[in-house]
Amino acid sequence: MKKEVKAVGVIEIVLILVILIGLVLIFKEQITGIVTNAFSEITGDADKIMR
């Protein structure tokens, strides 16, 4: 019984990972844009602070 429960847990984790990877692949450009904008904002704010 315990092995079945562990197997179900592993299957759930694998399915969640597959879904997350699929979402990342689908929204890759949007995620890249958001991260790029965030880092450029951080860099710009850091430059203002350093001056």
Side-chain angles (χ1 to χ4, degrees):
M1 183 79 176
K2 287 187 179 184
K3 286 184 180 181
E4 291 176 9
V5 173
K6 285 184 180 181
V8 171
V10 171
I11 292 171
E12 290 173 350
I13 292 172
V14 169
L15 287 175
I16 290 170
L17 287 174
V18 168
I19 291 170
L20 287 175
I21 291 170
L23 288 172
V24 167
L25 292 175
I26 291 170
F27 296 108
K28 182 179 178 183
E29 292 180 17
Q30 290 87 346
I31 294 170
T32 304
I34 291 169
V35 172
T36 302
N37 288 338
F39 278 116
S40 62
E41 289 287 327
I42 292 168
T43 304
D45 290 342
D47 287 341
K48 290 177 186 175
I49 293 171
M50 296 302 269
R51 291 183 191 181

